[in-house]
């Protein structure tokens, strides 16, 4: 190993007691380490956002988010930072919990100087090993935390490039793509590869919230702001503080909410419904839609000024049928994943089954593929997925049908197919089709569709 | 090298038992270009006592030293017979302001008797000198040194103190020559 320079190791002390922070800071400064302190979870997360930290000396008992909760939070986005728990009240129980949740070690206050030195020296040894390993891996740069976004096709490579480009900036992003193409995954990938990754990403499905509740959903409300507002409630904008606000199906946002949102984006502040105090808006905005927003603007359903606000950097996700070369890789990825979560052993997909998957046109995109594989894993008995494990209509259906003449024909066939995909689960099918259940029932009746 | 650095040595609380300040000063002045003088001024250190731990809060004692008006010295070195602690740690041998004026150490755990061994006058005296050099080293901007033959090596056991010499390694010495 190369000569060791302690100043290249950054230690953060997280403790609500000032005297503890100061004494540990001074003590480790004498060893030459770079020191930081934080008096609570929020400050600790902020520090982590600002700079790289190698070791965290973490107190368990703190007001607000306690040490164990903070550790869980940190582990969601950072597997590498070494966490050493220092607590005044040691119980075997908390020790076990802390270690299981990924703490490096655990000690009780007051600690022997020697014990603390050894703890930290062990941690430093591990960091030095890690650094040597990452130095080896560094040549391959890859996106983090985008497990389910799979694809070698040129279209997806382009998408990855765009994500990589825009993630570190704070730019607003608009993700376009058909339903089921994975727009939320892209939003998450951008978030997790940005400087805001230590704060939450808050998704809001604009299509699922009635216009009347949208204002309180976004901005929160004070107690008594309106009939039924019995408690003060934090809105999504406040919850996203420091992080990312993901507005899915932005095209369905009502006109009143569009005005509200536009105002926040312009003023960078807002107030809760029924409240006086202005709250600073500190979030990155990512929007997604499967609608053509320009058409919506022309039709008067979407404000032009809001459209220009959100249409800064666009990422278009290709429908699955346009990247058929990715299908085998995706299918295997989700096969492995479903086997893991369901604790099943299905090792492979037979070539005939794979041919069917490749030939199918996937109107429900990746989400439909995920469902098909999940279903296949459940019903499979042989250990290899065969055509029998796949939904019937996949094999029988040609990529496009000459019978479809009128729009109604297309709608009927599409609804029929989607119902079959979801085993006639009305709620899930309606969700996929972006219509409510009543509408779906009406259409089933209109076209005389029957469960096979 | 600049002009002699003047160090004011101040006993905190009682005078440490069996420790000769005379020989400590001789040792210090041999190793570093220092001019040391002892000044026994009454200081009320009761506020730094943690009665449940029966130890003195080292940082607070250090603050007492810092608050003393300057009297021609560049450094103040406190010496106390009482056991020292900082929050989180069970004890500390001493403490110093990095690159600043004040340092202190305790003789409490430097006595062989503390470890159930017979009194050893020379050993005690040599441990005091090493602790004094170490903490003063911090005030001259030195951090812990990983070289084994160096007084700036960090000690968490009294045996660690015995292992290191009452002198600085070459790189640490070069640093000292630049600052004092
Ligand atoms: Zn030291
Ligand atoms: Zn040295």
């Amino acid at each position: 190993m190369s000569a060791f320079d302690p100043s290249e190791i950054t230690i953060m002390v997280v403790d609500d007691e000032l005297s503890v922070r100061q004494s540990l800071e001074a003590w480790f400064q004498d060893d030459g380490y770079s020191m930081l302190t934080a008096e609570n979870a929020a400050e600790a997360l902020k520090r982590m956002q600002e700079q790289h930290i190698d070791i965290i000396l973490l107190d368990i008992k703190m007001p607000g988010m306690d040490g164990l909760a903070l550790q869980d939070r940190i582990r969601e986005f950072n597997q590498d930072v070494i966490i050493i728990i220092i607590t005044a009240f040691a119980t075997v129980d908390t020790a076990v919990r802390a270690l299981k949740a990924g703490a490096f070690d655990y000690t009780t206050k007051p600690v022997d100087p020697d014990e603390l030195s050894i703890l930290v020296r062990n941690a430093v040894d591990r960091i030095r090993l890690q650094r040597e390993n990452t130095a080896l891996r560094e040549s391959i740069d890859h996106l983090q935390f985008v497990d389910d976004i799979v694809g070698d096709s040129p279209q997806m490579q382009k998408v990855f490039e765009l994500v990589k480009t825009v993630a570190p900036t704070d730019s607003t992003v608009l993700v376009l793509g058909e339903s089921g193409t994975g727009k939320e995954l892209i939003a998450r990938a951008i978030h997790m590869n940005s400087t805001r990754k230590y704060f939450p990403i808050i998704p809001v499905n604009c299509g699922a919230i009635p216009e009347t509740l949208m204002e309180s959903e976004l901005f929160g409300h004070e107690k008594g702001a309106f009939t039924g507002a019995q408690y003060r409630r934090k809105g999504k904008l406040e919850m996203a503080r420091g992080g990312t606000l993901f507005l899915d199906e932005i095209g369905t946002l009502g006109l009143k909410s569009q005005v509200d949102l536009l105002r926040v984006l312009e003023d960078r502040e807002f107030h809760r419904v029924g409240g006086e105090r202005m709250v600073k808006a500190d979030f990155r905005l990512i929007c997604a839609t499967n609608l053509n927003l320009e058409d919506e603007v022309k039709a008067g359903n979407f404000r032009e000024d809001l459209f220009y606000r959100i249409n800064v950097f666009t990422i278009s996700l290709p429908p699955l049928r346009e990247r058929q070369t990715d299908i085998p890789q995706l299918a295997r990825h989700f096969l492995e994943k479903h086997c893991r979560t369901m604790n099943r052993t299905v090792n492979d997909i037979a070539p005939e089954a794979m041919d069917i998957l490749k030939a199918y046109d996937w109107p429900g995109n990746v989400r439909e593929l995920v469902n098909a594989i999940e279903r296949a894993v459940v019903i499979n008995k042989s250990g290899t997925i065969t055509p029998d494990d796949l939904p019937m209509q996949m094999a029988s259906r040609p990529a496009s049908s000459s019978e479809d003449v009128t729009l109604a024909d297309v709608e009927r066939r599409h609804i029929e197919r989607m119902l079959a995909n979801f085993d006639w689960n009305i709620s899930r099918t309606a969700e996929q089709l972006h219509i409510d259940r009543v509408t779906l029932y009406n259409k089933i009746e209109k076209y005389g569709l029957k469960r096979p | 090298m600049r002009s002699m650095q003047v160090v004011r040595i101040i006993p905190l609380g009682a005078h440490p038992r069996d420790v000769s300040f005379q020989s400590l000063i001789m040792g210090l002045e041999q190793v570093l270009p220092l001019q040391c003088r002892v000044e026994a001024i009454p200081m009320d250190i009761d506020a730094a006592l943690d009665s449940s731990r029966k130890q003195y809060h080292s940082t607070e004692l250090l603050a007492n030293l810092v608050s003393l008006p300057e009297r021609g010295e560049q450094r103040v070195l406190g010496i106390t017979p009482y056991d020292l602690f900082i929050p989180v740690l069970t004890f500390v041998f001493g403490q110093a302001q990095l690159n600043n004026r004040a340092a202190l150490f305790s003789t409490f755990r430097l006595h062989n008797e503390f470890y159930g061994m017979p009194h050893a006058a020379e050993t005690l005296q040599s441990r005091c000198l090493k602790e004094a050099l170490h903490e003063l080293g911090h005030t001259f901007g030195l951090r812990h040194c990983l070289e084994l033959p160096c007084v700036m090596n960090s000690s968490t056991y009294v045996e660690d103190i015995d292992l290191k010499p009452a002198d600085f390694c070459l790189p640490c010495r070069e640093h000292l020559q630049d600052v004092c």
Side-chain angles (χ1 to χ4, degrees):
Chain A
M1 257 175 222
S2 50
F4 164 59
D5 179 1
S7 69
E8 287 173 8
I9 304 278
T10 303
I11 302 178
M12 173 165 69
V13 179
V14 185
D15 200 303
D16 57 318
E17 258 180 84
L18 175 67
S19 66
V20 169
R21 292 197 302 276
Q22 283 177 337
S23 58
L24 283 177
E25 182 180 26
W27 202 68
F28 282 110
Q29 238 158 21
D30 284 352
D31 281 332
Y33 295 113
S34 301
M35 297 301 296
L36 284 176
T37 63
E39 64 172 312
N40 53 43
E43 200 188 346
L45 290 165
K46 189 157 181 289
R47 294 259 173 282
M48 294 193 76
Q49 182 185 28
E50 289 160 357
Q51 72 178 94
H52 175 84
I53 288 163
D54 298 293
I55 300 171
I56 299 177
L57 303 176
L58 180 58
D59 184 24
I60 285 195
K61 247 189 102 182
M62 289 187 294
M65 191 192 286
D66 76 4
L68 289 182
L70 175 60
Q71 170 172 279
D72 288 345
R73 187 58 191 285
I74 290 169
R75 282 295 173 241
E76 285 172 17
F77 57 78
N78 187 327
Q79 302 300 316
D80 291 336
V81 66
I82 291 183
I83 298 175
I84 297 173
I85 304 271
I86 303 182
T87 176
F89 309 96
T91 65
V92 178
D93 200 44
T94 47
V96 168
R97 263 180 62 205
L99 293 173
K100 267 195 179 161
F104 179 73
D105 220 322
Y106 181 93
T107 189
T108 49
K109 292 181 203 174
V111 55
D112 252 18
D114 197 54
E115 192 194 334
L116 190 58
S117 306
I118 289 172
L119 275 179
V120 168
R121 220 174 305 150
N122 288 342
V124 167
D125 283 346
R126 190 159 100 176
I127 290 160
R128 292 164 72 190
L129 274 173
Q130 272 174 2
R131 284 191 184 169
E132 283 175 6
N133 289 339
T134 42
L136 290 173
R137 267 183 319 194
E138 222 142 58
S139 47
I140 324 151
D141 70 323
H142 56 106
L143 286 168
Q144 268 192 301
F145 307 104
V146 283
D147 187 40
D148 285 346
I149 309 176
V150 174
D152 287 331
S153 62
Q155 294 97 313
M156 284 314 283
Q157 291 307 314
K158 171 94 174 112
V159 168
F160 295 149
E161 274 313 309
L162 291 173
V163 169
K164 223 179 277 180
T165 308
V166 79
T169 74
D170 218 25
S171 167
T172 298
V173 182
L174 179 61
V175 187
L176 304 173
E178 287 179 11
S179 165
T181 45
K183 296 187 288 294
E184 178 160 357
L185 289 178
I186 293 296
R188 288 186 184 278
I190 294 169
H191 175 74
M192 291 318 273
N193 287 280
S194 77
T195 55
R196 294 180 174 269
K197 66 180 174 185
Y198 302 110
F199 291 86
I201 173 166
I202 302 293
V204 180
N205 187 338
C206 302
I209 300 160
E211 174 74 354
T212 46
L213 295 181
M214 200 54 166
E215 192 182 8
S216 136
E217 185 75 15
L218 289 178
F219 304 107
H221 62 247
E222 296 293 340
K223 185 178 169 183
F226 48 83
T227 329
Q230 294 181 30
Y231 301 97
R232 198 166 124 170
R233 183 165 177 255
K234 239 186 187 181
K236 301 284 189 192
L237 265 58
E238 254 181 290
M239 287 159 75
R241 205 173 69 141
T244 301
L245 182 71
F246 174 55
L247 297 180
D248 201 0
E249 293 183 44
I250 180 93
T252 64
L253 198 64
L255 283 167
K256 155 106 176 42
S257 302
Q258 291 180 30
V259 176
D260 292 343
L261 181 63
L262 185 65
R263 191 173 304 136
V264 178
L265 297 180
E266 275 167 358
D267 302 346
R268 301 305 293 178
E269 59 178 12
F270 61 92
H271 56 79
R272 292 185 183 139
V273 179
E276 302 279 284
R277 196 172 62 88
M278 294 308 283
V279 183
K280 271 234 156 352
D282 174 17
F283 57 82
R284 181 201 202 145
L285 182 64
I286 301 180
C287 302
T289 182
N290 56 359
L291 299 174
N292 183 327
L293 285 184
E294 275 152 323
D295 289 349
E296 296 299 313
V297 169
K298 278 184 206 130
N301 298 327
F302 204 83
R303 290 184 64 101
E304 192 172 16
D305 42 11
L306 180 59
F307 173 67
Y308 286 120
R309 276 267 165 193
I310 64 172
N311 188 31
V312 179
F313 188 98
T314 312
I315 298 179
S316 295
L317 291 180
L320 189 53
R321 64 183 168 278
E322 281 175 21
R323 53 179 186 115
Q324 274 167 333
T325 53
D326 287 338
I327 289 173
Q329 198 189 346
L330 275 164
R332 288 202 187 89
H333 170 79
F334 289 113
L335 175 67
E336 207 178 287
K337 193 173 164 178
H338 288 311
C339 285
R340 220 171 30 238
T341 51
M342 292 189 270
N343 211 8
R344 300 278 307 244
T345 324
V346 181
N347 295 316
D348 209 358
I349 301 171
E352 314 85 73
M354 193 64 97
D355 287 344
I356 291 171
L357 295 178
K358 281 193 282 190
Y360 184 59
D361 72 347
W362 301 107
N365 288 298
V366 179
R367 198 178 299 152
E368 189 182 356
L369 175 66
V370 172
N371 292 334
I373 299 289
E374 181 178 12
R375 181 177 177 276
V377 168
V378 172
I379 61 177
N380 178 271
K381 300 226 158 52
S382 64
T384 298
I385 289 174
T386 64
D388 288 345
D389 299 327
L390 299 175
M392 288 284 281
Q393 81 283 1
M394 276 189 189
S396 59
R397 198 179 160 278
S400 79
S401 173
S402 53
E403 293 164 36
D404 299 336
V405 179
T406 66
L407 211 50
D409 287 339
V410 177
E411 185 177 75
R412 179 180 50 76
R413 289 185 62 92
H414 184 64
I415 291 173
E416 201 175 7
R417 202 163 69 229
M418 294 300 275
L419 282 166
N421 274 347
F422 295 105
D423 286 329
W424 277 71
N425 180 323
I426 300 297
S427 298
R428 282 179 78 184
T429 310
E431 189 192 309
Q432 291 291 308
L433 291 169
H434 289 269
I435 56 178
D436 59 42
R437 288 165 61 243
V438 178
T439 310
L440 181 55
Y441 276 122
N442 288 339
K443 288 186 189 290
I444 289 171
E445 208 172 60
K446 176 177 160 195
Y447 296 124
L449 301 177
K450 287 208 174 58
R451 192 177 184 136
Chain B
M1 212 172 288
R2 296 174 211 167
S3 62
M4 279 295 199
Q5 299 276 317
V6 177
V7 179
R8 187 145 66 119
I9 296 175
I10 295 166
L12 290 166
H15 183 105
R17 178 169 52 93
D18 302 325
V19 174
S20 156
F21 280 9
Q22 195 71 44
S23 90
L24 178 66
I25 288 171
M26 271 173 57
L28 285 171
E29 291 181 349
Q30 241 169 33
V31 181
L32 292 173
L34 303 174
Q35 208 177 56
C36 307
R37 62 166 198 264
V38 182
E39 225 172 274
I41 45 168
M43 286 188 74
D44 183 10
I45 60 167
D46 288 353
L49 175 69
D50 183 320
S51 49
S52 64
R53 293 183 64 146
K54 297 193 179 64
Q55 288 176 310
Y56 283 78
H57 193 315
S58 167
T59 318
E60 288 179 23
L61 288 186
L62 206 59
N64 283 353
L65 291 175
V66 173
S67 69
L68 287 176
E70 246 176 78
R71 292 183 54 190
E73 83 282 358
Q74 280 78 41
R75 297 287 183 271
V76 282
L77 173 66
I79 305 180
T80 180
Y82 305 126
D83 202 15
L84 301 177
F85 79 97
I86 56 174
V88 181
L89 293 188
T90 48
F91 76 93
V92 289
F93 286 121
Q95 196 182 351
Q97 292 179 292
L98 195 64
N99 232 335
N100 213 321
R101 201 163 142 259
L104 90 142
F105 72 94
S106 154
T107 59
F108 191 81
R109 290 169 193 257
L110 302 183
H111 287 276
N112 250 358
E113 294 92 316
F114 180 84
Y115 304 94
M117 289 188 291
H119 176 70
E122 249 178 76
T123 310
L124 173 66
Q125 201 64 43
S126 131
R127 287 171 184 166
C128 285
L129 175 59
K130 289 174 189 175
E131 275 306 287
L133 285 170
H134 180 100
E135 299 305 342
L136 283 172
H138 282 315
T139 67
F140 291 118
L142 286 174
R143 290 166 196 259
H144 289 155
C145 176
L146 298 168
E147 296 291 321
L148 195 59
C150 180
V151 77
M152 290 314 291
N153 203 282
S154 94
S155 312
T156 48
Y157 280 118
V158 79
E159 290 88 340
D160 297 336
I161 302 177
D162 292 339
L163 272 178
K164 61 190 184 186
D167 204 351
F168 297 87
C169 72
L170 205 62
C172 286
R173 188 156 276 287
E174 275 171 5
H175 170 90
L176 288 171
Q177 272 161 1
D178 288 343
V179 295
C180 64

